[in-house]
Structures are given as C-alpha cells and as structure tokens.
Amino acid sequence: NAAIRDSVFDKLKQRFPDLKIHVGTQLSYLGMSFNYDTPGEVNISMPAFVESLLAESETTGSAETPAGEDLFEIDEESAWLDEERCEAFHSRAAKLLYLGKLTRGDLLTSTIFLCSRVQAPTQQDEQKLSRVLKYLNATKNLKLTLGARDDLFVTLSVDASYGVHQDGKGH
C-alpha cells in the first residue's frame, strides 16, 4: 500500500539524501525502458539504444531472421577488414551483445558467433553483421515481456561444462 511505500522511501531518503525516486508505470534504468501498464506484466525495451545503433551503422532494409543458414560457415578466402572497419565491427558486435543479453535474446546466437570473430573479422563476417542489423531494423519494436501468475513457482537450473575440452579448459 502507498503508506508503507512512502514510509520505506522516507527511510531510504534519510540514509541516502541524494536518492531520486520515480513512481509510475513507466521507468527507465541503464538505457532500458520498463513498462508496467499491463497488470502482472512488464515490457522491457531499449528503443533509444536500438535507434542509435541503427543510425550509427547506417542500416537500411530488413531481414526476416538474424542469420542465414551459413552463419557458422567460415570462408577462408574472404578478405580481412581494414583497421577502421574492424573497429566498427568489434564495436557493433559488442553493442548487439549488450542488447541481446538485456532485452533481445533472439539476437544472441548470431551475435555470439560474431563476437568470436572480432579479433580478425572478414568481409563475410561483416555481411553477417549487416544481416543481424537488418533484422534488428525490421524488429526494432520487439520487447521482452515478463509476467507472473498467482501460482508463481521459481525453478533454478545451472548448466556447466568445466574442463571438458581437450586442453582441459572450460571455454
């Protein structure tokens, strides 16, 4: 209830005088927008981050999926990128990883592969990055929606593969 909330806020403000508190159904944090307009749900998106990335990369056009069937194929004959394009590739792959981890899990398979190529990207890798960006352009309004029911039950699973590679590392 509001009285309890206000009491907690007052105690927090006493302890942390510079604390800023925002109450409402739409909040912003670390570049993410949280929308609680629908009871029992929260929609999380990063519209400004997406628009900035698409503008920076001058992305136009669209793609139906973030990757083609050749995502994991590496053309050994593809030319290396020059230093400037290499830096842009690295930066955009990192930004896609940030976006994917926070709100857009649909980008992660392609993005994680591209992140494995940032040390020596080729023109083929750049084309694959362009495909992900075109998919993002086509789906820029997608949001992560989280919800709960009355019978909430939390399950935690952990998957680890430690020391399973030939060199004894977990990678």
Side-chain angles (χ1 to χ4, degrees):
N1 92 22
I4 294 172
R5 179 195 68 207
D6 292 341
S7 171
V8 170
F9 287 169
D10 288 340
K11 289 179 182 174
L12 286 170
K13 287 180 185 178
Q14 287 173 4
R15 177 81 169 104
F16 305 101
D18 295 333
L19 181 67
K20 292 183 174 121
I21 296 174
H22 176 82
V23 177
T25 60
Q26 297 186 14
L27 305 169
S28 216
Y29 181 69
L30 295 177
M32 295 180 284
S33 297
F34 295 84
N35 182 320
Y36 295 90
D37 286 339
T38 305
E41 285 186 4
V42 59
N43 290 306
I44 309 167
S45 62
M46 298 178 71
F49 187 86
V50 170
E51 288 299 331
S52 173
L53 177 56
L54 294 172
E56 162 198 310
S57 61
E58 299 178 352
T59 298
T60 58
S62 63
E64 289 187 23
T65 61
E69 293 180 10
D70 66 339
L71 175 65
F72 298 110
E73 295 173 13
I74 298 172
D75 179 5
E76 300 294 336
E77 303 299 317
S78 185
W80 305 105
L81 298 182
D82 62 45
E83 187 174 340
E84 182 179 329
R85 287 169 57 197
C86 186
E87 287 178 17
F89 179 91
H90 193 155
S91 174
R92 291 174 188 147
K95 289 176 182 181
L96 284 169
L97 183 61
Y98 180 72
L99 177 65
K101 293 294 281 182
L102 293 179
T103 64
R104 293 292 302 268
D106 55 327
L107 304 175
L108 286 176
T109 300
S110 303
T111 302
I112 289 169
F113 173 78
L114 292 170
C115 285
S116 74
R117 305 285 300 158
V118 296
Q119 293 301 314
T122 64
Q123 289 179 357
Q124 181 194 36
D125 297 321
E126 190 175 50
Q127 290 169 350
K128 291 175 183 179
L129 175 67
S130 176
R131 168 79 179 248
V132 178
L133 291 168
K134 286 179 180 182
Y135 171 77
L136 181 62
N137 191 38
T139 61
K140 59 185 157 194
N141 295 320
L142 278 182
K143 299 170 176 63
L144 173 64
T145 301
L146 303 175
R149 301 184 312 245
D150 291 336
D151 59 341
L152 180 64
F153 183 77
V154 177
T155 303
L156 175 67
S157 299
V158 177
D159 180 23
S161 34
Y162 179 77
V164 297
H165 294 276
Q166 195 170 26
D167 60 4
K169 295 181 181 176
H171 297 272

